[in-house]
Amino acid sequence: MGEPVYSWMSCRTSRCVGVIEGSPEPIKASGLLRGGSTGIGGFARVTALDSHFPQPHGSGRGQILQHGSSLPSTGNSTKLASPPQISRVNGCSPPRNAFQIVSWTVFLTLSLAIFGIFIPFLSHVWKYIAYVVAGGIFFFHLIFHLIACCIDPADPNVRLKKDYSQPMPIFDRSKHAHVIQNHYCHLCKVTVTKKAKHCIACNKCVSGFDHHCKLLNNCVGSRNYWFFFSTVASAVAGLLCVIAILLYVLIQYILNPWVLRTDPKYADVRSANTWLLFLPLFPVKVTTQMVVVIGAAVFLLDLLGLLLLGQLLLFHIYLKVKKMTTLDYLTQTHEEEERSKCQAERKGPSVQMGEGFLQQREGDGAPGSSAQG
């Protein structure tokens, strides 16, 4: 079996979708990345299309991955989208991704809630500490996120020689068995590095390909991997910081709510049921019930993000300890599953023959026992 050379993966927070194409044998997605299977103790959930990938069929070899076409599926209506006609440069290139929009929406929502609502509740000393610590974490996350999203992770020769404005050719398997052969990509028309893979989502070769991240709407390769890792790590740190501030506000409200009303603007507030949001610039009066609802919503959103990004961070820490990429892990998992499946198929007939032999012996012995009785 040849080396998989045409790969497409997408990471949705902790959920990855991966497709590897380029082997002379059809690879069943349910064997490569079994849908719903869990890897690394639940740190990364992996799903895949339940389909057979195209392979040559005698003289009937044709073009694959044509624009507007999809791969055939078996027993499942899930289809693989065709690659874009023009290669994408980075995460800012169209088409936009819903997960990318959600990630930025969550970031802005939590920033507004924590800096505009809950940190102003703290006493003077803790307020300044929270502004510095939380502000630093959120700022570094913003920088890492932008760099990981905007950088072009393509192979150096692709960045040097490729014209991104020109439409990509359609891969014709009747001419070439693999997209990349002898370190030459037949789609990008350049020589690429050893660990480069052609990503179908961006339709270009990515150096040190790890996966295609839907949160960034960009490929993650050797050029931007550590920015991606720092984005996830700073996001987890920021979410932990938000939880710490929310718990502090909750505990102080239970013990002594007046500690949360030290801002000078509260001098004009007479009711204990009235709170001020967006201090000190734009004070807005709300009731205690409104603050509780906002706090609960932010807390649940924070917990959900921490659950998803936390397991993603642990998964990539595991990969770094093992000195593997996401692609390496998925390929290894596929090989182990295929090996186990082959062993089970070999044992199956022998076990069935053994069970049939035992049943026959029992059936032959039963009449003899009754006759003796």
Side-chain angles (χ1 to χ4, degrees):
M1 182 178 290
E3 178 187 2
V5 291
Y6 197 123
S7 50
W8 170 56
M9 296 185 189
S10 59
C11 180
R12 301 188 291 240
T13 61
S14 64
R15 181 165 296 188
C16 297
V17 175
V19 174
I20 301 177
E21 191 279 319
S23 119
E25 297 294 334
I27 301 176
K28 206 170 186 179
S30 58
L32 170 64
L33 303 173
R34 191 173 302 279
S37 64
T38 306
I40 317 301
F43 299 150
R45 293 208 49 169
V46 181
T47 60
L49 304 174
D50 185 16
S51 61
H52 287 279
F53 298 108
Q55 62 169 336
H57 292 287
S59 61
R61 300 180 188 180
Q63 296 174 334
I64 66 168
L65 300 177
Q66 299 185 19
H67 303 307
S69 65
S70 59
L71 297 176
S73 63
T74 58
N76 196 323
S77 59
T78 308
K79 294 183 178 180
L80 175 62
S82 61
Q85 293 186 2
I86 298 179
S87 299
R88 302 178 65 255
V89 179
N90 51 36
C92 300
S93 304
R96 297 289 183 263
N97 188 280
F99 291 95
Q100 183 185 29
I101 298 174
V102 169
S103 66
W104 282 108
T105 302
V106 171
F107 174 76
L108 295 175
T109 301
L110 291 180
S111 299
L112 180 63
I114 202 67
F115 293 106
I117 298 177
F118 295 104
I119 289 183
F121 285 151
L122 307 183
S123 59
H124 293 295
V125 176
W126 288 109
K127 183 187 302 183
Y128 299 135
I129 293 176
Y131 274 131
V132 172
V133 174
I137 294 174
F138 274 63
F139 174 76
F140 281 113
H141 171 76
L142 177 64
I143 297 300
F144 291 138
H145 197 147
L146 287 174
I147 294 177
C149 177
C150 296
I151 200 169
D152 182 1
D155 187 89
N157 286 336
V158 173
R159 299 196 309 271
L160 181 65
K161 302 177 182 180
K162 183 177 176 60
D163 185 359
Y164 281 96
S165 63
Q166 295 299 317
M168 288 289 291
I170 298 173
F171 180 62
D172 190 348
R173 193 184 285 275
S174 64
K175 296 180 179 179
H176 309 288
H178 305 296
V179 177
I180 299 177
Q181 289 180 310
N182 298 323
H183 307 306
Y184 181 83
C185 178
H186 297 292
L187 288 177
C188 295
K189 305 297 183 183
V190 297
T191 302
V192 295
T193 55
K194 182 178 180 180
K195 293 187 177 182
K197 305 295 178 187
H198 195 102
C199 174
I200 193 176
C202 294
N203 209 354
K204 65 181 179 183
C205 286
V206 176
S207 179
F209 182 86
D210 188 90
H211 70 282
H212 183 87
C213 180
K214 285 186 174 288
L215 290 177
L216 300 176
N217 198 25
N218 196 16
C219 274
V220 175
S222 57
R223 196 160 184 248
N224 65 341
Y225 178 84
W226 285 110
F227 292 111
F228 159 78
F229 185 87
S230 300
T231 299
V232 178
S234 59
V236 172
L239 293 171
L240 290 173
C241 187
V242 171
I243 287 182
I245 293 173
L246 291 176
L247 291 178
Y248 178 85
V249 171
L250 175 62
I251 293 172
Q252 288 297 334
Y253 177 77
I254 295 173
L255 298 179
N256 184 11
W258 295 104
V259 175
L260 305 176
R261 306 166 71 92
T262 57
D263 192 277
K265 300 283 185 181
Y266 279 100
D268 299 329
V269 178
R270 304 301 178 187
S271 173
N273 192 41
T274 301
W275 297 86
L276 299 178
L277 308 184
F278 306 112
L279 292 172
L281 300 179
F282 309 103
V284 177
K285 292 183 178 181
V286 296
T287 62
T288 303
Q289 291 79 5
M290 180 61 68
V291 176
V292 171
V293 170
I294 295 175
V298 172
F299 187 78
L300 291 176
L301 180 63
D302 188 275
L303 279 182
L304 178 61
L306 188 61
L307 175 64
L308 298 176
L309 292 179
Q311 65 174 345
L312 180 61
L313 177 62
L314 292 175
F315 174 63
H316 279 275
I317 291 175
Y318 172 87
L319 292 180
K320 291 300 104 183
V321 171
K322 293 294 185 179
K323 296 182 180 180
M324 301 170 63
T325 64
T326 304
L327 178 60
D328 294 334
Y329 170 77
L330 297 178
T331 304
Q332 179 179 306
T333 303
H334 159 63
E335 292 174 351
E336 291 175 354
E337 290 181 355
E338 286 296 310
R339 193 178 301 113
S340 300
K341 184 178 178 181
C342 291
Q343 291 176 354
E345 289 177 351
R346 291 195 194 101
K347 293 179 180 179
S350 60
V351 172
Q352 292 176 1
M353 290 176 62
E355 291 178 351
F357 178 74
L358 291 176
Q359 291 176 0
Q360 183 178 3
R361 288 288 303 272
E362 292 175 358
D364 293 341
S369 299
S370 58
Q372 290 175 4

